[in-house]
Amino acid sequence: MRCAILSDIHGNAVALRAVLADLATISQRHDQPVEHIWCLGDIVGYGPEPSECIALVRACCDIAIAGNHDLAATGFSLDDLSDAATASAAWTTEQLNAGELAYLSGLPWRATEDPFTLVHASPTNPIWEYLLTTRAAARNFPAFTTAYCLIGHTHIPMIFLEPDGALDAAPAATLARTGILTLDAGPTLDTDGPDPASGHQDAPGYERLLPRAGWWLPPMGRRAIINPGSVGQPRDRDPRAAYILYDSERGFNFRRVEYDIEETQRRMRTLGLPERMATRLALGT
Ligand code: ZN
């Protein structure tokens, strides 16, 4: 089975079309087509083409999950967003018709497609939690029963592995030597602060991996929480659109796709959207 896992499109239709074109090329090149496309939420918010993105997701994705920006555009929980996000949500709401708003408010918060659980943010808090640390991951593994949980929301490609003492002790280190993974990106990603009881930042035995582009085969028997990164507003300092191609025989292919960033920026400026939101696209921040 092959499926594409997309998240955080954020109204960037130019980036989404580039990802769909990449998938079409992959389907043509191989005998096995990409059978499913799943979207982990935040179809809209920040970007200049919310309606187009909703139309593309409705046409192409078998499953789409609600993100905080999708709900904000429908008037839900606006208080928890930053000022920029609130302004963006208000602008997005004005662009959408009643059918599009009804589609967003009807998106499920969680879906299961064995061996995957799909949520936008985290299994314990599907809309709002930024799952960035092994301590946060340790809290979240008991909240799903499938082998893998797919999340978005942070816009940073990331993998958390649950400990399993019975298996090979150092699979992640082995993968790091292949050049596909870096094991840590440093303290700027950590938002939890040290554990008040132990003083430690990390949850013992849990691993956090930061995948660059390439294939990742999960270690046998280890459950994982996996984030594909963002299609429309990457924040890992690589401005290319990010997504995952999953192949049940080969594992997870973390892909990066170039798109016409300047075109999206032009559309944002023409519409008078905040300059900071246009600038960050070229920086991947
Ligand atoms: Zn998002």
Side-chain angles (χ1 to χ4, degrees):
M1 192 274 278
R2 285 151 66 91
C3 75
I5 302 155
L6 280 48
S7 192
D8 295 277
I9 295 160
H10 281 287
N12 189 341
V14 179
L16 178 55
R17 283 198 201 93
V19 165
L20 295 174
D22 189 53
L23 282 169
T25 307
I26 291 167
S27 284
Q28 275 165 13
R29 205 185 315 136
H30 301 273
D31 313 339
Q32 263 188 309
V34 178
E35 299 153 80
H36 305 287
I37 306 178
W38 300 337
C39 173
L40 304 176
D42 281 2
I43 301 166
V44 303
Y46 300 130
E49 293 179 291
S51 288
E52 289 78 356
C53 290
I54 290 172
L56 286 168
V57 167
R58 290 176 90 163
C60 301
C61 296
D62 318 65
I63 303 175
I65 300 293
N68 53 315
H69 286 264
D70 303 319
L71 295 179
T74 70
F76 184 94
S77 294
L78 277 166
D79 290 354
D80 294 55
L81 289 179
S82 68
D83 290 348
T86 303
S88 155
W91 180 87
T92 300
T93 306
E94 284 170 24
Q95 315 307 310
L96 300 180
N97 64 36
E100 290 162 341
L101 290 168
Y103 171 75
L104 292 182
S105 48
L107 292 172
W109 289 23
R110 183 180 180 118
T112 306
E113 193 72 30
D114 206 44
F116 297 103
T117 297
L118 289 73
V119 290
H120 177 63
S122 81
T124 56
N125 185 343
I127 302 298
W128 294 110
E129 179 176 16
Y130 285 90
L131 211 173
L132 288 163
T133 66
T134 53
R135 282 183 37 230
R139 277 199 311 276
N140 275 286
F141 272 102
F144 66 99
T145 54
T146 51
Y148 308 113
C149 181
L150 303 175
I151 63 167
H153 194 47
T154 66
H155 300 207
I156 298 172
M158 199 172 284
I159 300 163
F160 294 97
L161 282 169
E162 196 176 37
D164 185 340
L167 292 161
D168 179 10
T174 310
L175 285 161
R177 281 198 295 277
T178 68
I180 291 172
L181 300 169
T182 42
L183 295 184
D184 210 305
T188 52
L189 294 176
D190 294 325
T191 54
D192 271 4
D195 178 60
S198 67
H200 292 301
Q201 180 70 57
D202 294 320
Y206 290 83
E207 290 176 80
R208 180 177 72 178
L209 316 173
L210 296 164
R212 295 191 282 266
W215 283 96
W216 177 72
L217 187 62
M220 282 272 286
R222 299 276 298 271
R223 296 205 308 152
I225 297 172
I226 300 164
N227 189 328
S230 167
V231 169
Q233 197 196 76
R235 294 180 190 160
D236 61 344
R237 301 190 182 281
D238 181 341
R240 295 176 298 171
Y243 79 98
I244 286 175
L245 176 67
Y246 171 75
D247 182 318
S248 51
E249 296 186 356
R250 295 187 65 194
F252 296 82
N253 185 358
F254 287 83
R255 295 187 65 80
R256 300 309 284 252
V257 181
E258 306 231 7
Y259 74 95
D260 190 345
I261 295 172
E262 288 178 11
E263 177 57 31
T264 297
Q265 291 176 320
R266 257 195 302 278
R267 294 178 192 195
M268 293 176 79
R269 288 171 182 141
T270 304
L271 292 163
L273 291 169
E275 179 57 28
R276 151 106 183 92
M277 294 302 155
T279 312
R280 70 187 303 179
L281 293 180
L283 306 172
T285 57

